[in-house]
Amino acid sequence: MEINTAKLGLKENWKQFTLLIIINAFVGGMIGMERTIIPKFAEIEFGVASKTAILSFIIAFGITKAVTNYFAGKLANRYGRKNLLLFGWFLALPIPFILIHAASWNWVIFANILLGISQGLTWSSTVIMKIDLVGEKDRGLAMGLNEFAGYFAVGLVAFLSGYIAEKYGITPYPFYLGIGISIIGFLLTLLFVKDTRLFVQAESTSNKKEKLDNIFIQTSFKNKTLSAITQAGLVNNLNDGMIWGLLPIVLLSMSYDSQNIGIIAAIYPTVWGFGQLFTGRMSDLYSKKKMLFWGMLMQGTAILFIPFAQEFYQLASISAVLGLGTALVYPTFLSAIAQATTPHQRAESIGTFRLWRDLGYAIGAIISGITSDLFGVNYAVILIGLITIISSVVIEIRMPKDN
């Protein structure tokens, strides 16, 4: 396939699409390298308490990635999708070496800031490029495949890095994975990826949507469809940040051992990841508004049940429902925004959405931490559950019915 033919469709562009799926798996792998071992790494190497390490990682990474997401949309239009992806991988190259040779915890924070910038550029680029390639018919499927590949790789590499750390030590061997991932990702992009801006031009010839006067303001606040999606994205990651930080604490208070905590905690991202293989396609066929409403409502309801559940099967079921609710909304967010914007403004609108969505991690960590300190962990969980249900109501009331 020659890229300059600019024929939209998943079938027509399957080679480039498959390559971008593989590259996004490597993007996810860079997060997975750290996800399991950072708390232990912080405690063993620098004497930093794991709770502090998790909080500082989520905030440093979440804010940096969120801000980069916003600028990624503008930069993709100005400098090209491939160039942005390549630069994101270039920034990833030194991260494992910084972690291996870290002389203090500040080095680790710097590496995570760099990782946030890299992730914002690389993940945003692969999302935008896939949407460019497939056209309107298959956008949901494209986003489901993209997010599945990324999050499956997060889990796989997290498992591998944990296994390597257990067998060979917390450093340097687990970070060798990151060296290999970043080099392969960079080379695949440099040698084989082709820019997709020509596809935007091709789609623009048949586009009938009105241009937005201020993309940031419209996506964040004014446009009913876009702003409803954006607030739900923020709340989705807000509750994910809470689950990441507080669920293990809740389970420990119930005297669950590490193995059962691991199983319960793993069900949620596993159902989320694999579910997107199906829910992405569903968003092409069914009402995006209904999928977003039910997905957020399922998440909020599941979270509210956490403080009242005791048995293993109850908590496992809650984790599965939470994963299914997240799977319903995650690819649908992106395909719904792509449907509601013009081809030339799509990248910037997605960048604005991803800014607010990933700020949810930091906001969730802060709200959860403060509420837990003042009133207790269970009250923090209930508060986040209620906020998530309110978000589903906003979708129902604000988002137009024809979406």
Side-chain angles (χ1 to χ4, degrees), residues 173-199:
Y173 295 102
F175 301 119
Y176 290 164
L177 276 174
I179 295 173
I181 289 168
S182 58
I183 290 173
I184 294 171
F186 181 84
L187 291 176
L188 285 175
T189 302
L190 177 67
L191 299 175
F192 301 110
V193 170
K194 299 172 184 177
D195 200 87
T196 58
R197 280 186 292 183
L198 286 176
F199 289 84

Side-chain angles (χ1 to χ4, degrees), residues 355-386:
L355 161 72
W356 289 111
R357 191 195 68 184
D358 285 348
L359 277 176
Y361 278 121
I363 296 170
I366 293 167
I367 291 175
S368 300
I370 292 172
T371 308
S372 296
D373 288 339
L374 292 176
F375 305 106
V377 172
N378 284 343
Y379 284 95
V381 174
I382 291 170
L383 175 61
I384 298 298
L386 290 173

Side-chain angles (χ1 to χ4, degrees), residues 107-175:
W107 286 43
V108 179
I109 295 297
F110 173 70
N112 285 321
I113 290 171
L114 204 59
L115 181 64
I117 298 171
S118 172
Q119 288 286 307
L121 296 177
T122 51
W123 205 305
S124 292
S125 298
T126 59
V127 165
I128 294 165
M129 293 175 85
K130 288 187 186 72
I131 289 176
D132 291 344
L133 288 171
V134 300
E136 188 171 349
K137 183 167 66 78
D138 294 316
R139 279 184 190 137
L141 176 61
M143 290 302 93
L145 292 169
N146 183 78
E147 300 302 288
F148 161 75
Y151 284 100
F152 177 77
V154 170
L156 177 62
V157 177
F159 168 78
L160 290 174
S161 63
Y163 174 80
I164 293 170
E166 188 70 28
K167 194 163 186 178
Y168 300 106
I170 201 74
T171 185
Y173 295 102
F175 301 119

